[in-house]
Amino acid sequence: MIESLHTIINKSRDLGAVFSEARYLKRDLTRLISQNNEFSEIKTGIIQGLGVRVIVNGRYGFAATSSESSLEQMVRQAIAIAKARTDPQGISIPEMPSHQESISASVSKDPADYSIEEKMNMLRNAEAAMQGKNVSSTRAIYQDFADVRGFVNSAGTELIIKDAKTEFIATTVVKEDGQLSPGVAFVSGTGGMEILEKKPPEDIARKALAEACDLMGAPVVPGGSSRVVLDHELVGLLAHEAVGHTAEADWMESGSFLKGKLGQKEASELITLVDAPAVNNASGWCIFDDEGTRGREIRIIENGIVNDFMNNLELAERLSLEPSGNARAWSYQDIPIIRMRNTFIKSGDFSFEELIADTKNGFFLVGAEGGQADKNGEFMFGTRKALEIKNGELSGKAFKGASISGNAFEVLKSVDGIGKDFKMDMGAGYCGKLQPAKVDGGGGMVRCSVLVGGT
Amino acid sequence: MEGFNEQALAEKIVSKWEKTSEIDGVEIFFSKTRSLQATAENNKIKDCQESTESGFGIRIVTKGRGGFAYASGTNLELLEGTAERAYKIAKSTPKVEGLAIGGGGGVTYEQQAIFDPELDQMQPDQIISRTEEILQTAQNVDSRVVVDNILLRSSSSCDGIVSSSGLSFSFRSTANLPLIFCAANEGNKIGSFVEKYRLSTHNDIDISELATDGASLAVDGLKALKCEEFTGSVILTGHALSSILAWPISFSVCALNVQKQRSPFQDKLNEEVAAEILTVRDSPNLEHSLSAFPIDGEGNPTQEKAIIEKGVLKTFVHTQTTANRAQVSATGNATRLDALSFKLRSYNVPPTMPFPIVLTIPRTRKSLEDLTAEVQKGLLVHRFSGNVVPETGDFSGLVKQAYYVQNGEIKYPIKGTMISGNIYKALRGVIAVGGDLETPMGYTGVYHLPSLLFPPLSIKSQ
């Protein structure tokens, strides 16, 4: 594999590239889905390929192929693209240290050592834990994938990176009087089966069942501006969706809310918001990015002050930032773009009970659904459950959650309490920004004001 | 793209495996795609890339047990190894009731309906030039326009299926996606972001019109005001309907969801589920629709059919397996949708989920202005950013590219506003169907949708 990458670099140079990067990816995936105790999908597969990015005449060109026999054709395509461009922008070759390393995500129990039968039994046991009165439908999903990434560039960097992700998702649907009530729970992270040993699928399944039962017959949360306490999943989404995207240097440069705000106070002084290459076994593990840059921790907001931006080599140079290692590509066919990794709000001083007790009236919001953000700071993300807070106590009343929205920085300015328990809890999903990325998010629970889009 | 030998290789593998006595069925889906893509960001060309990918997915059924394996690349050794993997999985799994390979006969195919030689032969300089045209056109609308992102993707594919049911079929298709994402800046004020895109199998999209529309809406967004909180009628155009309506309907009529008792429509066949003025169809042969196809993901012919007719639920949509279980004929709705990568037909996805191939709502002669004239106090919404729970129908989220309407007239653009409601209740109260058309891409494919006028929904404001 490394030889092929060097062949690509050499060929690129021969054809006139002043700089080139060659990447390889092999992704080995296994996925099982069981629904109502019947396996509707069991699949395994391998996707692999190569990509090259070149600089010719101050412009990038990129090409990729799944066929190793087409290496030269791929390089020629990339060179031709760079030459076909007539845009005035000139890319300069970035100054960068070179690295020669081989690193692997920590995996103590390799999923490849477990048979399909063992994985099937795990799902069977999980579905058994979801059985109960009025349960009409259960679904258990297991997935693992292992990536081998190779990277070589003409500056002398040579990297082999092995990543692994394992996850389990449980969904229960309860039915009463013709009405359906779903519940969802998941566990996900970087690593192997040890992730599911720490959080067993049966426990996850029981959590999904409990949620479905809690919300059966519950009304939708009342809408309007509200004081809320966000659980760890939602704090992750706040950090990632509402704030994080505006701090990606490409978004920032093109006019996101944070443009021109370096050094300014745009959040409560309680807020320190970080994007890190690794946090325990969180899903956004990225020690070296797909430009060969070693990742560093970015303190996007420190004590309420805008402090730093996530970047790639091109923007680090243009904006005089220290390279951060945030240039990521989902597959060999994708150009690396600035993506988040593990984004969190640092924990604070409040216990959960204190956060609730200090909230006169509002909601404790639990469970994240999908979210989106615009560059002007306007965000939306979904919540699954809302527990009423009345006079500083959980009243016991549960509502079906609704989407919440606001301007990210007005929300951050409204934060007056952060929980002391830290948890990364957003890893089962993917971020979408023209291509997927495995990310994670979380932090301490947060109390703030948002617009709740209920009835 | 040139022709390829994937079909011949697949025939060899199927021929070998179907001779094995314990094999009930073998199916190989193969695919080869060339994609050309250019992007612009922050008012300038950013990247251009070309990629080619080939791969195949193999499904083997033995004694009622199924296994699926896939791999990228194409050579005989790789196919043989992958078939072995699929077989090993099949041997390990329990029997699945009704499991069968599809692939009935009677397929007709007109290549020109979904294949455009112009897109097939697109070169980097052409796609760069078209991207520049979108950029220039948008910037020329108004000096305040900031083109945040442009993506222009052109792809050409050869896909096919070979199966032990006698099917050996390959087809060529092309795809064209121009997308613009822009806003307008005035001093420190940034207006609402506008997203506009079109989808077609042909090089027939007016990219200047797309760019002008997007930029004009962006400038309009500078005038956006917050509106009061109220309950009012809402017009949702096609793009807004893709998540609020098309996704939950697709989810509910999926026979697998029905058979697994998670569909809210499961006991409602031949019952009223929507207003009488509403008809929803599956139209898999629509010309120039990206989702349109002569066969489904397992080789059964796709079929034009009513899903909801004048408000009454007429059919669920099936794969071969769900049809066998329900003791009905297959409806040609097995999909291979890779939702993560937005690929409509992907070799790494087994054809186990049935969804409408091209979900459509027949249009009327009413214009969007006619629908607007029927609104006393409400909203006109072009884009929705929110969530829908398909099992319950509850939805809530932000409205984007939206306007406040009063006494039948658009008054001003709005911002910071959310709507919520229940789509299954709202379907029963649809007041009017429009004559306009949008073709958004959603969770289950490409939809062809006119605007719909809904009865009062909850409207909240920041």
Side-chain angles (χ1 to χ4, degrees):
Chain A
M1 177 253 291
I2 287 289
E3 277 176 29
S4 297
L5 298 180
H6 280 289
T7 301
I8 292 168
I9 298 297
N10 293 337
K11 195 72 202 171
S12 302
R13 187 186 308 119
D14 293 346
L15 291 174
V18 296
F19 177 81
S20 55
E21 304 165 338
R23 285 189 285 119
Y24 165 81
L25 171 71
K26 179 183 172 193
R27 177 166 291 147
D28 201 324
L29 181 144
T30 296
R31 181 172 156 110
L32 289 79
I33 301 179
S34 177
Q35 300 192 74
N36 290 13
N37 301 306
E38 183 180 78
F39 286 95
S40 53
E41 180 177 310
I42 300 181
K43 77 173 184 185
T44 180
I46 299 172
I47 288 179
Q48 55 188 326
L50 299 128
V52 62
R53 187 164 68 161
V54 299
I55 296 178
V56 178
N57 299 336
R59 296 175 186 90
Y60 277 128
F62 179 88
T65 181
S66 60
S67 166
E68 197 164 347
S69 60
S70 306
L71 281 192
E72 177 161 342
Q73 184 185 7
M74 176 185 72
V75 176
R76 288 186 183 279
Q77 283 166 351
I79 299 280
I81 285 170
K83 286 181 176 174
R85 292 176 64 164
T86 55
D87 46 295
Q89 177 186 336
I91 301 287
S92 51
I93 302 162
E95 295 269 340
M96 64 183 86
S98 65
H99 308 281
Q100 295 82 36
E101 290 196 41
S102 177
I103 59 166
S104 299
S106 167
V107 176
S108 56
K109 293 186 188 240
D110 190 345
D113 295 336
Y114 292 68
S115 65
I116 289 286
E117 288 88 347
E118 285 173 294
K119 291 170 183 173
M120 281 165 48
N121 280 337
M122 177 178 60
L123 294 194
R124 286 189 181 107
N125 293 338
E127 284 208 278
M130 285 193 269
Q131 298 309 311
K133 188 180 167 213
N134 296 335
V135 171
S136 72
S137 181
T138 57
R139 185 170 65 193
I141 302 175
Y142 166 85
Q143 178 172 289
D144 67 66
F145 69 82
D147 281 0
V148 175
R149 293 175 184 262
F151 178 88
V152 171
N153 70 16
S154 51
T157 289
E158 187 179 295
L159 298 169
I160 297 176
I161 299 166
K162 293 183 181 175
D163 192 3
K165 306 280 184 252
T166 304
E167 68 186 35
F168 171 79
I169 302 170
T171 314
T172 315
V173 179
V174 165
K175 184 175 180 179
E176 227 174 77
D177 299 327
Q179 299 300 308
L180 300 178
S181 175
V184 176
F186 60 84
V187 58
S188 173
T190 299
M193 291 300 225
E194 67 275 10
I195 290 171
L196 303 189
E197 284 189 359
K198 278 186 207 142
K199 290 189 182 176
E202 287 104 302
D203 291 351
I204 301 296
R206 279 187 275 270
K207 196 175 164 194
L209 175 61
E211 181 173 279
C213 293
D214 283 350
L215 295 179
M216 186 71 241
V220 175
V221 63
S225 293
S226 187
R227 203 83 187 120
V228 297
V229 174
L230 304 178
D231 79 344
H232 301 287
E233 266 183 64
L234 290 168
V235 170
L237 216 45
L238 178 70
H240 176 99
E241 205 64 63
V243 184
H245 282 298
T246 62
E248 291 166 341
D250 49 351
W251 271 39
M252 187 276 298
E253 193 190 40
S254 66
S256 84
F257 184 88
L258 289 183
K259 184 170 186 174
K261 302 255 174 49
L262 204 56
Q264 292 186 20
K265 187 167 184 295
E266 293 294 340
S268 157
E269 60 265 19
L270 298 177
I271 296 283
T272 292
L273 198 155
V274 177
D275 182 78
V279 177
N280 301 326
N281 67 342
S283 292
W285 184 84
C286 182
I287 303 302
F288 281 94
D289 73 3
D290 290 298
E291 288 183 328
T293 303
R294 186 186 295 276
R296 65 176 176 90
E297 183 178 277
I298 300 271
R299 298 199 151 216
I300 296 168
I301 295 174
E302 184 140 37
N303 302 322
I305 310 282
V306 178
N307 185 61
D308 204 350
F309 300 113
M310 295 168 280
N311 59 68
N312 60 10
L313 289 172
E314 180 189 341
L315 281 163
E317 175 145 340
R318 192 149 74 231
L319 301 173
S320 302
L321 298 168
E322 189 190 334
S324 63
N326 283 89
R328 303 176 66 191
W330 172 244
S331 91
Y332 66 89
Q333 297 184 77
D334 294 310
I335 294 175
I337 57 175
I338 299 171
R339 309 305 297 271
M340 282 174 268
R341 301 161 302 183
N342 304 287
T343 318
F344 58 90
I345 291 176
K346 286 198 78 172
S347 44
D349 300 322
F350 284 68
S351 68
F352 174 67
E353 292 73 21
E354 285 166 337
L355 282 175
I356 299 293
D358 283 354
T359 307
K360 191 158 188 302
N361 293 306
F363 297 98
F364 173 42
L365 299 179
V366 176
E369 296 284 342
Q372 283 176 356
D374 276 349
K375 290 185 184 179
N376 58 2
E378 185 176 64
F379 72 90
M380 175 287 307
F381 49 84
T383 68
R384 289 203 304 277
K385 186 159 74 172
L387 299 175
E388 186 184 53
I389 302 172
K390 227 168 166 65
N391 297 320
E393 286 184 355
L394 289 170
S395 71
K397 207 166 176 190
F399 296 89
K400 286 190 271 195
S403 295
I404 64 176
S405 78
N407 177 283
F409 298 91
E410 283 173 24
V411 171
L412 287 189
K413 281 174 184 163
S414 75
V415 172
D416 68 353
I418 301 181
K420 52 177 121 173
D421 292 329
F422 180 91
K423 194 171 165 194
M424 298 291 283
D425 208 7
M426 212 187 81
Y430 296 79
C431 174
K433 183 182 169 185
L434 299 187
Q435 47 174 286
K438 253 317 196 185
V439 296
D440 215 327
M445 290 193 195
V446 157
R447 185 172 60 223
C448 57
S449 295
V450 295
L451 177 65
V452 178
T455 53
Chain B
M1 288 191 69
E2 297 168 4
F4 57 95
N5 68 350
E6 279 83 353
Q7 189 169 358
L9 288 174
E11 285 172 351
K12 215 170 197 162
I13 298 293
V14 168
S15 174
K16 175 187 165 184
W17 279 88
E18 66 182 347
K19 292 185 178 95
T20 312
S21 58
E22 57 185 34
I23 298 296
D24 300 335
V26 185
E27 162 206 277
I28 299 182
F29 179 89
F30 50 91
S31 174
K32 185 168 185 174
T33 301
R34 172 196 176 235
S35 293
L36 201 47
Q37 177 175 298
T39 57
E41 193 171 277
N42 197 20
N43 287 335
K44 47 188 185 267
I45 298 291
K46 184 171 189 300
D47 280 311
C48 182
Q49 64 189 89
E50 180 168 355
S51 72
T52 54
E53 185 190 20
S54 65
F56 50 91
I58 300 181
R59 193 161 61 140
I60 288 183
V61 179
T62 171
K63 296 182 179 175
R65 299 169 164 79
F68 180 81
Y70 64 87
S72 59
T74 314
N75 62 66
L76 190 60
E77 196 184 328
L78 198 55
L79 263 93
E80 282 176 342
T82 304
E84 286 287 345
R85 283 178 92 169
Y87 178 63
K88 272 192 184 140
I89 291 172
K91 295 270 281 181
S92 308
T93 60
K95 274 181 89 161
V96 172
E97 184 198 346
L99 182 62
I101 300 287
V107 182
T108 58
Y109 167 48
E110 291 179 25
Q111 179 168 291
Q112 63 271 23
I114 55 173
F115 177 79
D116 182 352
E118 260 188 59
L119 290 179
D120 182 52
Q121 298 302 319
M122 184 77 68
Q123 295 302 312
D125 60 323
Q126 292 173 288
I127 206 159
I128 290 168
S129 150
R130 288 164 61 77
T131 305
E132 283 169 340
E133 182 186 334
I134 297 174
L135 185 58
Q136 278 306 309
T137 305
Q139 288 172 327
N140 287 344
V141 165
D142 192 292
S143 59
R144 295 169 291 177
V145 170
V146 175
V147 177
D148 186 68
N149 245 300
I150 293 171
L151 181 146
L152 184 50
R153 183 181 297 155
S154 162
S155 64
S156 175
S157 298
C158 296
D159 300 327
I161 300 181
V162 175
S163 73
S164 53
S165 53
L167 185 69
S168 180
F169 187 78
S170 69
F171 41 85
R172 302 183 72 185
S173 62
T174 42
N176 185 13
L177 162 63
L179 177 149
I180 182 169
F181 202 63
C182 56
N185 279 4
E186 193 165 52
N188 288 332
K189 196 174 169 189
I190 309 171
S192 304
F193 279 80
V194 169
E195 177 190 81
K196 289 290 266 185
Y197 66 88
R198 304 259 158 82
L199 300 165
S200 177
T201 54
H202 283 60
N203 192 19
D204 58 358
I205 297 173
D206 186 337
I207 54 176
S208 288
E209 183 188 65
L210 179 78
T212 305
D213 278 352
S216 303
L217 278 171
V219 173
D220 228 14
L222 283 172
K223 297 179 286 192
L225 302 171
K226 291 184 184 174
C227 73
E228 59 181 295
E229 297 189 351
F230 66 102
T231 301
S233 307
V234 177
I235 299 171
L236 297 172
T237 69
H239 277 279
L241 288 171
S242 78
S243 55
I244 292 181
L245 179 142
W247 160 231
I249 289 182
S250 300
F251 175 93
S252 298
V253 302
C254 162
L256 187 61
N257 286 335
V258 171
Q259 290 171 2
K260 296 303 177 187
Q261 300 186 66
R262 61 188 316 124
S263 161
F265 282 1
Q266 61 202 37
D267 302 316
K268 295 195 163 56
L269 210 50
N270 297 315
E271 287 183 22
E272 195 181 280
V273 295
E276 196 183 340
I277 60 164
L278 194 65
T279 290
V280 179
R281 300 188 65 82
D282 183 13
S283 303
N285 300 312
L286 265 183
E287 269 199 26
H288 297 201
S289 174
L290 272 191
S291 280
F293 242 59
I295 56 171
D296 72 356
E298 56 185 347
N300 283 325
T302 53
Q303 302 166 28
E304 173 78 37
K305 53 190 165 293
I307 294 174
I308 297 173
E309 187 147 52
K310 294 184 182 173
V312 176
L313 180 63
K314 302 305 287 182
T315 186
F316 300 124
V317 296
H318 286 274
T319 61
Q320 189 67 62
T321 300
T322 61
N324 290 347
R325 262 204 283 251
Q327 297 180 323
V328 299
S329 302
T331 59
N333 286 96
T335 62
R336 289 183 186 259
L337 183 74
D338 182 353
L340 189 60
S341 305
F342 280 107
K343 286 183 187 168
L344 289 168
R345 285 173 296 275
S346 191
Y347 62 84
N348 64 335
V349 178
T352 51
M353 285 303 286
F355 288 122
I357 302 294
V358 184
L359 190 144
T360 61
I361 294 177
R363 298 183 276 162
T364 66
R365 293 186 189 280
K366 287 190 172 192
S367 66
L368 193 51
E369 290 71 26
D370 292 334
L371 259 60
T372 307
E374 294 188 43
V375 176
Q376 279 293 102
K377 185 178 180 184
L379 303 182
L380 165 60
V381 176
H382 288 276
R383 194 158 70 94
F384 174 74
S385 171
N387 289 285
V388 183
V389 181
E391 291 91 345
T392 64
D394 294 322
F395 68 87
S396 62
L398 277 167
V399 296
K400 308 257 184 180
Q401 294 157 226
Y403 297 84
Y404 176 67
V405 178
Q406 194 170 40
N407 297 328
E409 285 182 2
I410 292 175
K411 293 298 181 190
Y412 50 82
I414 56 173
K415 62 181 180 182
T417 302
M418 300 183 81
I419 59 171
S420 66
N422 184 287
I423 187 57
Y424 299 123
K425 285 193 183 128
L427 275 178
R428 292 174 182 276
V430 171
I431 300 167
V433 178
D436 55 332
L437 176 68
E438 288 182 346
T439 57
M441 180 147 173
Y443 295 127
T444 60
V446 177
Y447 313 123
H448 287 239
L449 303 170
S451 296
L452 297 182
L453 171 58
F454 284 94
L457 300 174
S458 169
I459 298 164
K460 299 287 179 195
S461 188
Q462 285 168 11

Short mmCIF file of all heavy atoms in Angstrom, two decimals, chain A residues 72 88-89 96 102-103 139 147 158 222 256 266 289 310 325 328 357 373 406 416:
data_model
loop_
_atom_site.label_atom_id
_atom_site.label_comp_id
_atom_site.label_asym_id
_atom_site.label_seq_id
_atom_site.Cartn_x
_atom_site.Cartn_y
_atom_site.Cartn_z
N GLU A 72 -1.98 5.52 -12.73
CA GLU A 72 -1.42 6.57 -13.60
C GLU A 72 -2.56 7.43 -14.17
O GLU A 72 -2.44 8.65 -14.23
CB GLU A 72 -0.58 5.96 -14.71
CG GLU A 72 -0.06 7.04 -15.66
CD GLU A 72 1.12 6.61 -16.51
OE1 GLU A 72 1.79 5.61 -16.19
OE2 GLU A 72 1.37 7.31 -17.51
N PRO A 88 -8.35 32.73 -10.27
CA PRO A 88 -7.13 33.50 -9.97
C PRO A 88 -6.44 33.09 -8.68
O PRO A 88 -5.28 33.39 -8.47
CB PRO A 88 -7.64 34.95 -9.85
CG PRO A 88 -9.10 34.82 -9.58
CD PRO A 88 -9.56 33.54 -10.19
N GLN A 89 -7.13 32.40 -7.82
CA GLN A 89 -6.54 32.10 -6.51
C GLN A 89 -5.30 31.23 -6.63
O GLN A 89 -5.30 30.24 -7.34
CB GLN A 89 -7.58 31.37 -5.66
CG GLN A 89 -7.07 30.95 -4.30
CD GLN A 89 -8.08 30.10 -3.57
OE1 GLN A 89 -9.26 30.18 -3.83
NE2 GLN A 89 -7.62 29.29 -2.66
N MET A 96 5.28 22.68 6.49
CA MET A 96 4.76 21.69 7.43
C MET A 96 5.88 20.78 7.89
O MET A 96 6.80 20.49 7.12
CB MET A 96 3.67 20.86 6.77
CG MET A 96 4.17 20.02 5.60
SD MET A 96 2.90 19.10 4.77
CE MET A 96 2.31 20.33 3.65
N SER A 102 3.12 5.25 12.52
CA SER A 102 2.06 4.26 12.34
C SER A 102 1.31 4.24 13.66
O SER A 102 1.91 3.97 14.71
CB SER A 102 2.67 2.90 12.04
OG SER A 102 1.65 1.93 11.93
N ILE A 103 0.04 4.60 13.64
CA ILE A 103 -0.71 4.63 14.91
C ILE A 103 -2.03 3.89 14.75
O ILE A 103 -2.57 3.78 13.65
CB ILE A 103 -1.00 6.07 15.38
CG1 ILE A 103 -1.80 6.84 14.34
CG2 ILE A 103 0.28 6.82 15.68
CD1 ILE A 103 -2.39 8.11 14.88
N ARG A 139 -36.20 -3.17 17.44
CA ARG A 139 -35.14 -3.23 16.43
C ARG A 139 -33.80 -3.06 17.11
O ARG A 139 -33.64 -2.17 17.95
CB ARG A 139 -35.31 -2.14 15.37
CG ARG A 139 -34.29 -2.24 14.24
CD ARG A 139 -34.61 -1.32 13.09
NE ARG A 139 -34.52 0.06 13.50
CZ ARG A 139 -34.98 1.07 12.79
NH1 ARG A 139 -35.56 0.86 11.62
NH2 ARG A 139 -34.89 2.30 13.23
N ASP A 147 -10.98 0.91 9.73
CA ASP A 147 -10.33 1.65 8.64
C ASP A 147 -8.83 1.46 8.72
O ASP A 147 -8.24 1.55 9.79
CB ASP A 147 -10.60 3.15 8.77
CG ASP A 147 -11.97 3.56 8.28
OD1 ASP A 147 -12.73 2.68 7.84
OD2 ASP A 147 -12.29 4.76 8.36
N GLU A 158 4.74 10.26 5.99
CA GLU A 158 4.28 8.90 5.67
C GLU A 158 3.56 8.38 6.91
O GLU A 158 4.17 8.25 7.97
CB GLU A 158 5.50 8.03 5.34
CG GLU A 158 5.15 6.66 4.82
CD GLU A 158 6.40 5.86 4.49
OE1 GLU A 158 7.15 6.26 3.56
OE2 GLU A 158 6.63 4.84 5.18
N PRO A 222 -44.97 22.09 25.42
CA PRO A 222 -45.47 23.42 25.05
C PRO A 222 -44.36 24.24 24.41
O PRO A 222 -43.21 24.23 24.88
CB PRO A 222 -45.89 24.04 26.39
CG PRO A 222 -46.03 22.89 27.32
CD PRO A 222 -45.10 21.83 26.86
N SER A 256 -19.15 33.58 8.64
CA SER A 256 -19.96 33.06 9.75
C SER A 256 -20.03 34.10 10.87
O SER A 256 -19.32 35.11 10.86
CB SER A 256 -19.38 31.75 10.29
OG SER A 256 -18.34 31.99 11.24
N GLU A 266 -18.23 36.42 23.41
CA GLU A 266 -19.46 36.08 22.71
C GLU A 266 -20.24 34.99 23.44
O GLU A 266 -21.17 34.41 22.88
CB GLU A 266 -19.15 35.61 21.28
CG GLU A 266 -18.60 36.70 20.37
CD GLU A 266 -19.61 37.81 20.09
OE1 GLU A 266 -20.82 37.58 20.27
OE2 GLU A 266 -19.17 38.92 19.71
N ASP A 289 -4.78 14.29 10.76
CA ASP A 289 -5.88 14.46 9.81
C ASP A 289 -5.47 13.98 8.42
O ASP A 289 -4.38 13.43 8.22
CB ASP A 289 -6.37 15.92 9.81
CG ASP A 289 -5.41 16.91 9.14
OD1 ASP A 289 -4.35 16.49 8.61
OD2 ASP A 289 -5.71 18.11 9.16
N MET A 310 -10.88 26.12 14.04
CA MET A 310 -10.46 24.87 13.42
C MET A 310 -10.08 25.15 11.97
O MET A 310 -10.75 25.95 11.30
CB MET A 310 -11.61 23.85 13.48
CG MET A 310 -11.96 23.44 14.90
SD MET A 310 -13.51 22.53 14.99
CE MET A 310 -14.70 23.87 14.91
N GLY A 325 -5.17 20.34 12.48
CA GLY A 325 -5.44 18.92 12.21
C GLY A 325 -6.91 18.61 12.09
O GLY A 325 -7.36 17.55 12.51
N ARG A 328 -10.44 16.59 7.22
CA ARG A 328 -10.83 15.18 7.23
C ARG A 328 -11.57 14.82 5.95
O ARG A 328 -12.30 15.64 5.40
CB ARG A 328 -11.72 14.89 8.45
CG ARG A 328 -11.09 15.25 9.78
CD ARG A 328 -12.06 15.04 10.93
NE ARG A 328 -12.38 13.62 11.09
CZ ARG A 328 -13.35 13.18 11.88
NH1 ARG A 328 -14.11 14.02 12.56
NH2 ARG A 328 -13.57 11.87 12.00
N ALA A 357 -32.61 22.74 40.76
CA ALA A 357 -33.14 23.52 41.89
C ALA A 357 -33.12 25.02 41.61
O ALA A 357 -33.99 25.77 42.05
CB ALA A 357 -32.36 23.21 43.15
N ALA A 373 -27.27 23.87 11.17
CA ALA A 373 -26.86 25.21 11.59
C ALA A 373 -26.58 26.05 10.37
O ALA A 373 -26.14 25.53 9.34
CB ALA A 373 -25.61 25.14 12.46
N GLY A 406 -32.42 28.74 18.06
CA GLY A 406 -32.01 30.03 18.61
C GLY A 406 -30.80 30.52 17.85
O GLY A 406 -30.37 29.91 16.88
N ASP A 416 -26.08 30.01 32.58
CA ASP A 416 -25.71 30.46 33.93
C ASP A 416 -25.41 29.29 34.85
O ASP A 416 -25.29 29.46 36.06
CB ASP A 416 -26.81 31.34 34.53
CG ASP A 416 -28.08 30.55 34.80
OD1 ASP A 416 -28.15 29.38 34.41
OD2 ASP A 416 -29.01 31.11 35.42
#
